[in-house]
Amino acid sequence: MTEPLYCANHPNRETTLRCNRCEKPICTSCAVHTPTGYRCQECVNAQKKKFDTAEWHDYIIGVGIASMLSLIASIIIAIIVSIIPFFGWIIAAGLAGGAASLISKSVKRFLGGRRSKKLFVLSTAGVVFGALPAVIFAFIFGGLYGILGQGIYLFITVPAVYYYLSGFRL
Ligand SMILES: [Zn+2]
Ligand SMILES: [Zn+2]
């Protein structure tokens, strides 16, 4: 009664699978296993696009804002740690949390809802990039507390910025 189905991409391959979105018959080698069931490659690509709306200038904005703000934050931490070495790193930890929130909020505002995983990863890399001058300075002149301060700053801001940007609330 049921007519045999043939894969849309391989007309000589009989199959029982259909894409659960567009109903197209697909063979096992064309089917993509997704959390919502088997789908054809076209539907998977279409779905991906929805979550990948960033344009080329968003990458410049994301990385630029993240590294600029991170540069300022890491310099402030370097100054605080050099004035009060011992308690400086405790203040650094508090400032890092604030900086992470400020950086991700600023990046998000400029992006206006456009997103992509690569954009979040690159913006987070911008945080590290922006802190580089202060980190290098700390290794040369900062001593133990200087290095500790920058270490704490990056240890807190890097994961926090990534999670904030990707929509994860800590
Ligand atoms: Zn499909
Ligand atoms: Zn096929």
Side-chain angles (χ1 to χ4, degrees), residues 13 23 31 34 40 46 59 97-98 108 111 113 117 162 164-165 170:
R13 278 195 207 166
E23 301 273 282
T34 72
C40 70
Y59 293 95
K108 268 193 162 171
L111 293 178
K117 199 177 173 216
Y162 182 76
Y164 277 135
L165 286 178
L170 288 174

Side-chain angles (χ1 to χ4, degrees), residues 19 22 40 43:
C19 168
C22 69
C40 70
C43 286

Side-chain angles (χ1 to χ4, degrees), residues 47-80:
Q47 197 70 23
K48 240 185 227 157
K49 246 193 172 143
K50 247 207 252 172
F51 292 104
D52 196 347
T53 50
E55 291 173 52
W56 66 269
H57 49 85
D58 294 330
Y59 293 95
I60 297 170
I61 291 170
V63 176
I65 292 172
S67 51
M68 274 307 295
L69 291 175
S70 186
L71 175 71
I72 297 165
S74 57
I75 288 172
I76 292 172
I77 284 171
I79 293 168
I80 291 172

